[in-house]
Amino acid sequence: MPAEREAIVIGGGLIGCSSAFYLAQHGWRVRLLERDTIGAGASSGNCGYICPSHVQPLAVPGAISQTLKTMARRDSPVAVTAPWRPSLIAWLMRFALACRAGKAQRAARGRHALLASSNRLYRELLTGGGLNAQLQDRGLLVAYRHEGPLDRFASTAEMLRGEFGVEVNKLAGAELQDFEPALRDDLAGAWFFPGDADVEPYELLHALVDRLSELGVAIEEGVSVESLEVTGGKLRRLVTNRGDFTAETVVVAAGAETPRFAGPLRCRIPIQPGRGYSLVVDNPVPAPARPIIFEESHVAVTPMAGGMKIGSTMEFAGYNRKPNPARVALLRESTRQHLRGEIGEPRDPVWVGWRPMVYDGVPCIDFAPGASNVIVAAGNGMIGLATAPATGRLVAELASGAEPHIDPAPYSLRRF
């Protein structure tokens, strides 16, 4: 592509940085605008999973009944604490409608394409492909305290093997204890995904920013986009707190805040902020040898060189960053219920952030209906890190008129 073609990316998370990276590789001159600092949103708070196993969306048959059963409990992994505004009610109703077998399977196929592609791309980028971050091939263990949910996952495991080629193995009893001695011996069992991997999110972000600088991407932090001026079916100007900007193509990758741009782009972007938490504690003794998800509480842990990260839970609290102590306590209590070692106090401030949740579990990666030079790339939910490279590559292919490496149809904004 001619070097004079210019693109602006709004949003400095992993989706925005990945979009900037692949646009630059396609020959674009790229300016990356971030309201805060790079990675200040959901990109830095996650547990670092590169997880091709996560093809299933949250909206599956039975999800509503299971969630309603648990929401009355103090330790429910899902909570709604936001005011019941029309946008949240509509999102929850559409989520319920998406909990059908056919829709869930279509969503799984769309997620699988992004996850599988990103898994390959990460292995290229992190093993000699220009990003100075360490990929750890430790697999992912999903542990259960009770036999009922452990056994119910068997049909899902068969689907993952048969339709998506995901390797998954069941472990229980002495076999599980030998495999992961850090787990308590009163657990029902676990499922192990050997094809999954992990990376330290801060390390990945810093490596990506370094590579962007090498590629000549102009990274501008502290730039808040206040409005988009669209006329004649094209975006003509971005109005920011640092002046106005123009470019041939604009990518909106603003995570959970992307819906505020939906008006001028004449489209629906049904993203709700799903608040998540993470904290870091000293590695317990014994420390897990690999990442583990405690499935019934939806809490995840990742052992890292600098300590063990504990994260997840889902709280619909609106655009509110104030930590809820009860949700933080849930993370630590669930970890105590699964691991042998003592779980200490958080070493650093608790991270709180918004995951960009689309009700069908499939990201939005598409040209905006009301502005032919704008691409929306948002809504990757809880698999943002795991799908970032494929999302960014697809954005660059769409912008450049190149053959997409995966079918873009599942991510269309017109499905809403």
Side-chain angles (χ1 to χ4, degrees), residues 164-244:
F164 300 109
V166 174
E167 185 179 355
V168 53
N169 306 304
K170 186 178 180 180
L171 300 167
E175 185 180 20
L176 177 59
Q177 286 301 305
D178 290 342
F179 184 75
E180 183 49 84
L183 287 172
R184 291 169 52 124
D185 58 11
D186 57 353
L187 301 185
W191 293 89
F192 180 58
F193 298 89
D196 286 11
D198 60 282
V199 66
E200 208 286 317
Y202 281 110
E203 185 179 85
L204 175 63
L205 276 164
H206 291 155
L208 191 49
V209 168
D210 289 345
R211 190 72 183 99
L212 292 178
S213 297
E214 292 171 2
L215 290 169
V217 173
I219 300 173
E220 301 191 26
E221 297 180 323
V223 179
S224 176
V225 177
E226 297 170 353
S227 64
L228 307 179
E229 294 185 0
V230 178
T231 57
K234 293 189 72 173
L235 176 61
R236 308 294 178 177
R237 190 185 312 277
L238 282 77
V239 179
T240 83
N241 63 328
R242 299 283 184 85
D244 297 348

Side-chain angles (χ1 to χ4, degrees), residues 82-163:
W84 289 87
R85 295 192 173 96
S87 61
L88 176 59
I89 295 171
W91 190 97
L92 292 170
M93 291 178 63
R94 293 186 180 109
F95 178 88
L97 292 173
C99 293
R100 300 175 181 176
K103 291 186 176 182
Q105 201 66 5
R106 285 194 295 275
R109 288 193 285 270
R111 289 164 64 94
H112 170 69
L114 286 172
L115 287 163
S117 171
S118 291
N119 187 37
R120 292 189 295 269
L121 291 171
Y122 270 127
R123 293 175 186 281
E124 294 172 7
L125 294 169
L126 298 176
T127 55
L131 289 188
N132 186 26
Q134 183 181 4
L135 179 133
Q136 301 207 70
D137 262 318
R138 302 187 286 187
L140 175 64
L141 193 64
V142 181
Y144 294 79
R145 296 180 64 204
H146 302 99
E147 291 186 2
L150 171 73
D151 294 340
R152 283 195 294 271
F153 189 78
S155 59
T156 300
E158 283 302 313
M159 180 272 292
L160 293 174
R161 293 188 193 105
E163 182 160 349

Side-chain angles (χ1 to χ4, degrees), residues 148-396:
L150 171 73
D151 294 340
R152 283 195 294 271
F153 189 78
S155 59
T156 300
E158 283 302 313
M159 180 272 292
L160 293 174
R161 293 188 193 105
E163 182 160 349
F164 300 109
V166 174
E167 185 179 355
V168 53
N169 306 304
K170 186 178 180 180
L171 300 167
E175 185 180 20
L176 177 59
Q177 286 301 305
D178 290 342
F179 184 75
E180 183 49 84
L183 287 172
R184 291 169 52 124
D185 58 11
D186 57 353
L187 301 185
W191 293 89
F192 180 58
F193 298 89
D196 286 11
D198 60 282
V199 66
E200 208 286 317
Y202 281 110
E203 185 179 85
L204 175 63
L205 276 164
H206 291 155
L208 191 49
V209 168
D210 289 345
R211 190 72 183 99
L212 292 178
S213 297
E214 292 171 2
L215 290 169
V217 173
I219 300 173
E220 301 191 26
E221 297 180 323
V223 179
S224 176
V225 177
E226 297 170 353
S227 64
L228 307 179
E229 294 185 0
V230 178
T231 57
K234 293 189 72 173
L235 176 61
R236 308 294 178 177
R237 190 185 312 277
L238 282 77
V239 179
T240 83
N241 63 328
R242 299 283 184 85
D244 297 348
F245 294 89
T246 60
E248 182 175 344
T249 294
V250 173
V251 179
V252 180
E257 296 182 82
T258 301
R260 71 187 183 92
F261 299 110
L265 300 179
R266 297 180 61 187
C267 62
R268 287 200 294 175
I269 306 175
I271 290 174
Q272 284 290 319
R275 189 163 69 174
Y277 298 80
S278 69
L279 53 92
V280 177
V281 299
D282 290 340
N283 279 315
V285 180
R290 58 191 54 80
I292 308 174
I293 293 176
F294 311 137
E295 180 60 22
E296 290 147 291
S297 55
H298 296 287
V299 170
V301 299
T302 305
M304 300 177 179
M308 186 174 72
K309 179 173 278 190
I310 309 173
S312 202
T313 83
M314 178 65 67
E315 183 181 18
F316 291 97
Y319 292 96
N320 176 5
R321 291 192 188 274
K322 185 178 180 181
N324 181 343
R327 307 303 290 173
V328 177
L330 189 156
L331 295 179
R332 300 181 65 208
E333 180 59 26
S334 175
T335 306
R336 290 191 184 100
Q337 291 172 350
H338 290 81
L339 298 185
R340 293 177 183 273
E342 181 179 350
I343 307 303
E345 295 292 326
R347 288 195 329 211
D348 303 307
V350 173
W351 177 91
V352 183
W354 305 318
R355 305 184 192 94
M357 306 298 295
V358 181
Y359 55 80
D360 65 1
V362 182
C364 308
I365 314 167
D366 193 13
F367 284 100
S372 61
N373 60 337
V374 174
I375 298 173
V376 174
N380 296 63
M382 300 176 74
I383 53 171
L385 183 147
T387 56
T391 300
R393 180 174 172 181
L394 182 57
V395 164

